[in-house]
């Protein structure tokens, strides 16, 4: 029994040793394969990028050469015409010299060389003109693109200005409507000797505003009860007064209007500017 136990322990130890040797080797091989695969992918991406860049350079060169070749063809045509003209002069020269072949050939060669130089200068000038025209075309294209962007920006600014003016007109119209509705709401008719007469509309409006300022905190239900308005009407009137600048304040989620004077708002603003937003 002891021998069998020793054998089993030896076998287990051998398996553990083999595992300790095989697992690191397997991990190493896997890491190497992954590194090789990543290197191949990087090489493929680099080759594709280089090919795309080379194709782009070739396209630009071909586009540039197409403009230059047109000028070159014109220069070569003019050079051929000049050469043909020099050939005609060269054929006439010996006859004019009265049969002196050597004396007539020299002026012909000079005329030919002169014609060749003229053709070369003409060709160079054509190339310069082609390059200048290509530059002018690029400049014109950039200028046209800039003008289009400027026009688009001006159009956006014009639309924003029109929208701002439209909103201002709507706010002014809404404020006037609110004011008119306030006057109609606070109209009170009193009996007089000669019949009904209009009472002080603005006096009631002033009393409403004074109530808000004096109490500081007013419930919408309380205001509606005092002035004979529904809660929705009170809320609408409060917003109208805020829009017209009669009062400033906030309405919380419990249906309370909290009046805040402009002096208090300015004091809070000064404190925030002094201490910073994080204070």
């Amino acid at each position: 029994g002891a021998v069998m136990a020793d054998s089993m322990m030896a076998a287990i130890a051998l398996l553990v040793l083999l595992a300790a040797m095989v697992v690191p080797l397997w991990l190493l091989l896997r890491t190497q394969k992954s590194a090789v695969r990543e290197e191949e992918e990087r090489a493929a991406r680099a080759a594709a990028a280089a090919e795309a860049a080379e194709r782009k350079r070739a396209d630009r060169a071909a586009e540039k050469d197409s403009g230059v070749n047109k000028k070159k063809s014109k220069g070569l045509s003019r050079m051929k015409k000049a050469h043909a003209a020099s050939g005609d002069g060269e054929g006439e020269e010996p006859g004019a010299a009265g049969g002196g072949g050597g004396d007539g050939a020299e002026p012909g060669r000079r005329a030919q060389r002169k014609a060749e130089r003229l053709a070369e200068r003409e060709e160079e000038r054509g190339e310069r003109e082609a390059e200048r025209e290509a530059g002018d075309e690029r400049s014109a294209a950039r200028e046209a693109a800039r003008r289009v962007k400027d026009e688009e920006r001006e159009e956006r600014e014009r639309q924003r200005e029109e929208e701002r003016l439209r909103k201002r007109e709507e706010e002014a119209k809404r404020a006037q409507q609110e004011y008119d509705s306030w006057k109609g709401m606070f109209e009170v008719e009193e009996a007089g000797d000669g019949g009904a007469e209009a009472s002080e509309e603005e006096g009631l409006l002033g009393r409403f505003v004074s109530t808000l300022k004096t109490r500081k905190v007013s419930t919408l239900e309380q205001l509606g009860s005092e002035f004979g308005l529904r809660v929705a009407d009170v809320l609408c009137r409060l917003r109208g007064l805020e829009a017209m600048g009669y009062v400033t304040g906030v309405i919380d989620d419990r249906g309370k209007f909290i009046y805040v004077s402009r002096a208090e708002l300015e004091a809070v603003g000064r404190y925030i500017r002094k201490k910073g937003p994080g204070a």
Side-chain angles (χ1 to χ4, degrees):
V3 174
M4 184 177 294
D6 292 340
S7 299
M8 291 179 65
M9 290 297 295
I12 292 172
L14 181 59
L15 290 175
V16 171
L17 180 60
L18 289 174
M21 294 175 62
V22 170
V23 170
L25 181 61
W26 177 77
L27 292 175
L28 178 61
L29 292 174
R30 184 177 179 182
T31 303
Q32 289 179 350
K33 288 182 179 179
S34 178
V36 170
R37 184 166 56 253
E38 291 178 357
E39 184 65 26
E40 290 177 351
E41 291 177 354
R42 281 197 297 270
R45 288 195 296 269
E51 184 179 356
E54 183 64 26
R55 186 164 54 251
K56 189 174 181 180
R57 284 196 297 271
D59 292 340
R60 285 200 298 267
E63 183 178 344
K64 182 178 179 181
D65 291 341
S66 62
V68 175
N69 288 334
K70 293 180 180 178
K71 295 296 182 180
K72 285 186 176 181
S73 62
K74 293 180 180 179
L76 290 174
S77 177
R78 285 191 290 268
M79 184 176 67
K80 290 179 179 179
K81 291 180 180 179
H83 183 69
S86 66
D88 295 339
E90 186 177 350
E92 293 172 357
E93 196 66 31
D103 294 337
E106 184 62 24
R109 285 193 294 271
R110 285 198 300 270
Q112 182 178 357
R113 287 194 297 270
K114 183 177 180 181
E116 291 175 353
R117 286 194 299 269
L118 289 174
E120 290 176 358
R121 284 196 294 270
E122 189 69 21
E123 183 178 355
E124 292 174 357
R125 187 177 65 180
E127 292 177 356
R128 289 193 299 270
E129 289 179 356
E131 293 176 357
R132 185 174 62 253
E133 289 177 359
D136 293 341
E137 290 176 357
R138 289 192 295 269
S139 299
R142 287 194 297 268
E143 182 65 20
R146 186 187 63 79
R147 285 197 301 271
V148 169
K149 290 182 179 179
D150 292 341
E151 292 174 357
E152 291 177 351
R153 184 179 64 255
E154 292 175 357
E155 178 64 19
R156 289 194 298 270
E157 292 176 355
R158 185 185 63 79
Q159 291 178 356
R160 284 196 295 267
E161 182 64 17
E162 290 179 354
E163 181 67 15
R164 186 179 64 81
L165 293 175
R166 184 184 63 80
K167 289 182 178 179
R168 179 182 296 178
E169 291 176 357
E170 290 179 354
E171 290 175 359
K173 184 178 179 181
R174 187 164 52 250
Q176 184 63 38
Q177 291 174 350
E178 289 289 339
Y179 179 73
D180 294 340
S181 64
W182 267 102
K183 290 199 303 182
M185 181 64 65
F186 286 131
E187 281 186 353
V188 176
E189 296 182 353
E190 295 180 353
D193 294 336
E197 59 178 317
S199 67
E200 299 178 355
E201 303 169 357
E202 296 184 357
L204 288 176
L205 178 61
R207 187 163 63 87
F208 188 87
V209 174
S210 178
T211 300
L212 296 175
K213 293 181 177 179
T214 302
R215 290 180 181 172
K216 284 289 188 178
V217 179
S218 304
T219 63
L220 303 183
E221 291 84 354
Q222 184 181 11
L223 292 172
S225 176
E226 291 182 12
F227 290 91
L229 301 173
R230 296 178 304 172
V231 173
D233 294 332
V234 172
L235 181 62
C236 182
R237 299 309 186 264
L238 286 173
R239 289 175 177 170
L241 289 173
E242 286 182 321
M244 290 184 287
Y246 283 93
V247 295
T248 53
V250 295
I251 301 174
D252 65 9
D253 55 357
R254 293 173 296 178
K256 292 182 179 180
F257 177 79
I258 303 171
Y259 172 76
V260 182
S261 66
R262 294 189 179 277
E264 291 170 341
L265 286 175
E266 293 175 356
V268 172
R270 287 195 299 271
Y271 177 80
I272 292 175
R273 287 194 296 272
K274 182 178 179 181
K275 297 296 184 179

